[in-house]
């Protein structure tokens, strides 16, 4: 859907309204329609004739008196109060009383009556009025709010509600600068800034460009990030999947789900030359149905099987595509519930696992420390390993134990060695960072009810993020010498 505003100005013809938008137009003192805006309000946006003032359908009417503009002032003041009490609605203000070929000087008379609304983020003016009013606000450049001293999930939820309109409208220059981390997949974190995600219930939804699934803003460490390497080679084997008569694939070009039939997809593949067909076969992030049919086409053409790389976990890739599609469809309803708006100018979000906030602290290697990191600190009694948490009441990032905490000072020599995001589950209700930190402490040091396994706990934090539940699988990772880099 085309967005008909940019910043403070209406930039195109308004033909439909999103759920939170209110079309503001003028009537005469008797509520009669007197111009194009009024006609549009009645014909498309459910305004009712003969109502001269106030909320009306998905519109707001303001009576106009051309000969005595001062008589409009009480109605405009009433509208200004209505706008101030409706921070999650977007108000589209037309050139009230200045259309139908009226002289330009009426803009200069009527527009300043709305000047008080110009600084509000949720008010959009016709470009003629906006250009006039911006001259009255030479310092209208929005100052970036100072973020809270300490941030945890509850603080983030409250901030998301406080800045809900700006997040939905994609006005990111008026938000506090906070960087967060979340889980994309095994051995892959995503990083983004406040405003590019929101909390719904206890779930986190970052905005996602579905043409680039699996990517996110990189971590800002200032240190080169090594890539994951495999010291073992997975054996190749033949593709053997039963392709259903009808199936759905994610389009790599449009990011949309597309329906196919088995025979229709075969006909499409038959038009590919050998090089393009092999490209489909040798690209492991294509869905397994596409690769299976391409494999059958290659066998039909007599292409040597040695030219076909069929290694990789195809079912896992297909499951991921299906999961992304479900999350995308469900997220559309979440957006409407949370913002009461379709948010046409934002990508569709998807649900992820929240994985901490960037703190103002750095470790001995100069890397930013995030909440949820496990750090190692050298003390006179030996190395101390503990998870980093946030204690909002004390205003510090710290090693939190029950109701007590040990503050991490900027001059403490600590090193990030892993995170507490192991044994994850997409389907489980979100677990707070405090609970994950406590789980690691119980694994590493034990409790009255639980015995410790320090070595296994250290292994778990190295192989993060992961969704591994069984201890044996960690031993397999070590035995195969598969290297994780949890900074990715």
């Amino acid at each position: 859907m085309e967005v008909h505003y940019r910043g403070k100005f209406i930039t195109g013809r308004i033909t439909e309204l999103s759920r939170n938008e209110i079309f503001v137009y003028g009537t005469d003192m008797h509520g009669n329609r007197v111009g194009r805006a009024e006609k549009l309000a009645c014909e498309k946006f459910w305004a009712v004739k003969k109502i001269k003032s106030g909320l009306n359908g998905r519109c707001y009417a303001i009576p106009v008196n051309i000969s005595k503009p001062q008589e409009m002032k009480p109605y405009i003041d009433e509208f200004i109060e209505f706008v101030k009490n409706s921070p999650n609605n977007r108000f589209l203000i037309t050139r009230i009383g200045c259309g139908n070929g009226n002289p330009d000087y009426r803009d200069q008379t009527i527009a300043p009556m709305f000047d008080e609304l110009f600084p509000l983020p949720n008010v959009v003016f016709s470009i003629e009025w906006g250009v006039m009013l911006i001259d009255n606000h030479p310092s209208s450049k929005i100052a970036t709010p100072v973020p809270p001293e300490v941030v945890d999930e509850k603080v983030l939820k409250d901030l998301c509600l406080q800045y809900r309109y700006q997040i939905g409208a994609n006005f990111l220059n008026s938000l506090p600068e906070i960087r967060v981390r979340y889980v994309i997949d095994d051995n892959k974190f995503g990083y983004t800034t406040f405003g590019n995600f929101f909390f719904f219930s206890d779930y986190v939804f970052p905005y996602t460009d579905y043409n680039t699934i699996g990517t996110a803003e990189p971590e800002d460490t200032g240190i080169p990030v090594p890539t994951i390497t495999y010291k073992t080679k997975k054996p190749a084997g033949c593709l053997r999947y039963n392709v259903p008569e009808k199936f759905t694939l994610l389009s790599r070009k449009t990011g949309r789900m597309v329906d196919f039939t088995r025979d229709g997809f075969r006909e499409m593949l038959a038009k590919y030359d050998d090089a393009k067909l092999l490209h489909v076969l040798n690209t492991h992030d294509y869905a397994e149905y596409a690769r299976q049919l391409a494999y059958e086409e290659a066998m039909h053409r007599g292409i040597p099987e040695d030219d076909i790389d069929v290694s990789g976990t195809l079912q896992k890739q297909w499951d991921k595509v299906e999961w992304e599609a479900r999350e995308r469809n469900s997220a559309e309803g979440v957006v409407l519930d949370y913002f009461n708006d379709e948010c046409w100018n934002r990508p569709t979000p998807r649900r992820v696992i929240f994985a901490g906030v960037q703190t103002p602290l750095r470790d001995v290697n100069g890397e930013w420390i995030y909440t949820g990191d496990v750090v190692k600190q050298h003390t006179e009694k030996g190395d101390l390993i503990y998870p980093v948490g946030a204690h909002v009441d004390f205003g510090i990032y710290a090693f939190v134990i029950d109701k007590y905490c040990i503050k991490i000072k900027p001059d403490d020599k600590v090193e990030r060695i892993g995170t507490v995001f192991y044994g994850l589950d997409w389907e489980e209700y979100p677990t707070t960072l405090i609970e994950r930190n406590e789980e690691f402490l119980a694994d590493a040091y034990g409790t009255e009810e639980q015995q410790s396994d320090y070595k296994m706990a250290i292994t778990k934090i190295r192989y993060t993020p992961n969704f591994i539940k069984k201890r044996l699988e960690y031993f397999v990772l070590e035995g195969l010498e598969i290297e994780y880099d949890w900074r990715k």
Side-chain angles (χ1 to χ4, degrees), residues 111 211 234 309:
N211 291 314
K234 296 180 180 179
D309 176 10

Side-chain angles (χ1 to χ4, degrees), residues 107-281:
D107 288 300
Q108 301 170 5
T109 302
I110 299 176
M113 296 183 182
F114 294 83
D115 184 72
E116 186 177 346
L117 294 176
F118 190 86
L120 300 183
N122 61 326
V123 180
V124 185
F125 292 92
S126 66
I127 194 164
E128 294 87 354
W129 280 20
V131 170
M132 291 175 57
L133 295 178
I134 199 170
D135 292 336
N136 300 331
H137 301 270
S139 59
S140 61
K141 190 173 182 181
I142 301 174
T144 302
V146 177
E149 187 175 357
V150 175
V151 177
D152 63 4
E153 290 105 313
K154 183 179 184 307
V155 172
L156 282 175
K157 292 176 194 174
D158 292 343
L159 287 173
C160 285
L161 289 174
Q162 179 182 345
Y163 293 100
R164 180 160 51 183
Y165 176 80
Q166 288 90 330
I167 294 171
N170 202 16
F171 291 164
L172 304 185
N173 61 337
S174 57
L175 301 177
E177 295 181 359
I178 302 170
R179 194 163 177 82
V180 302
R181 178 175 62 186
Y182 60 92
V183 176
I184 293 178
D185 204 345
D186 277 321
N187 191 218
K188 187 176 289 186
F189 282 121
Y191 298 86
T192 191
T193 52
F194 179 70
N196 278 323
F197 69 92
F198 62 92
F199 276 88
F200 182 80
S201 182
D202 287 327
Y203 294 98
V204 184
F205 287 83
Y207 288 99
T208 305
D209 180 354
Y210 277 83
N211 291 314
T212 56
I213 285 178
T215 63
E217 297 178 24
E219 180 184 4
D220 177 23
T221 63
I223 298 172
V225 177
T227 57
I228 183 171
T229 57
Y230 294 89
K231 295 186 179 179
T232 59
K233 185 176 181 180
K234 296 180 180 179
C238 294
L239 294 167
R240 290 291 184 268
Y241 290 100
N242 293 321
V243 181
E245 179 61 34
K246 295 181 180 180
F247 56 96
T248 303
L249 297 180
L250 180 69
S251 169
R252 298 167 68 88
K253 290 185 177 180
T254 66
R256 298 181 180 276
M257 300 303 295
V258 180
D259 294 327
F260 290 100
T261 64
R262 186 171 54 214
D263 291 339
F265 201 87
R266 282 172 173 162
E267 291 175 3
M268 181 178 68
L269 291 174
K271 298 177 183 178
Y272 288 6
D273 60 27
D274 288 357
K276 189 172 183 181
L277 189 67
L278 285 172
H279 173 71
V280 175
L281 281 164

Side-chain angles (χ1 to χ4, degrees), residues 442-460:
D443 287 345
Y445 300 107
T447 63
E448 293 181 1
E449 300 83 15
Q450 178 178 335
Q451 291 185 340
S452 66
D453 189 335
Y454 184 81
K455 183 178 179 181
M456 175 55 65
I458 300 303
T459 299
K460 288 179 177 180

Side-chain angles (χ1 to χ4, degrees), residues 410-447:
D411 57 347
D412 285 342
K413 297 187 180 302
V414 299
E415 180 184 6
R416 302 165 74 205
I417 60 172
T419 80
V420 297
F421 298 98
Y422 56 82
L424 304 176
D425 188 340
W426 287 121
E427 303 303 325
E428 73 177 3
Y429 192 76
T431 304
T432 67
L433 188 60
I434 291 177
E435 291 171 326
R436 294 196 191 279
N437 284 352
E438 289 175 347
E439 180 181 350
F440 166 73
L441 291 172
D443 287 345
Y445 300 107
T447 63

